[in-house]
Amino acid sequence: MAGEERAAHSFRVGCPVDAAYKACAAALASVPNMSIEAADEASYTINISVRASLWTRGEDIRLALFPAGEAETLVCIYSETQSKATGKAKNRRNYEDLECAVRWQLSRSPG
């Protein structure tokens, strides 16, 4: 459930959870250094691996989507950092890049 663990980052989108899940999966194709490791449409979760780069830290991310009404979805990003070095700003960039890609994908969707 959404409240059982603390998300590293979360945001809401104005569409049903099914559409938000599809947008998340499609958006990942446009985010450099991110790849889907596992996806489960039944539970609306996606496990993502982020390769380290000059601009981002390597980390494992779990995306979990929760319905927040008929036409709204809460997208939660949970992180398991691969690197033990400090650098929260680089982690934050991963989350912001992912959120931006999802919002862009949803803006392209008809209806």
Side-chain angles (χ1 to χ4, degrees):
M1 191 58 154
E4 290 180 7
E5 59 183 306
R6 183 161 166 78
H9 182 74
S10 64
F11 58 97
R12 291 180 182 265
V13 293
C15 66
V17 69
D18 290 334
Y21 179 85
K22 289 176 181 149
C24 288
L28 284 165
S30 68
V31 181
N33 297 324
M34 288 191 188
S35 60
I36 295 175
E37 295 296 314
D40 183 10
E41 191 168 357
S43 66
Y44 303 115
T45 59
I46 303 172
N47 293 334
I48 304 161
S49 179
V50 181
R51 289 186 312 272
S53 72
L54 184 59
W55 298 275
T56 63
R57 290 177 71 178
E59 65 181 316
D60 294 323
I61 294 174
R62 182 171 53 89
L63 209 59
L65 287 72
F66 303 96
E70 286 184 31
E72 190 172 55
T73 300
L74 175 63
V75 180
C76 295
I77 300 172
Y78 301 95
S79 174
E80 180 64 41
T81 303
Q82 293 175 356
S83 171
K84 301 297 180 201
T86 60
K88 287 188 177 189
K90 287 187 175 187
N91 282 354
R92 169 74 42 204
R93 179 159 179 174
N94 289 338
Y95 314 148
E96 290 170 352
D97 287 350
L98 183 54
E99 179 180 352
C100 184
V102 169
R103 292 189 183 283
W104 178 81
Q105 185 67 37
L106 285 169
S107 74
R108 298 180 61 226
S109 299

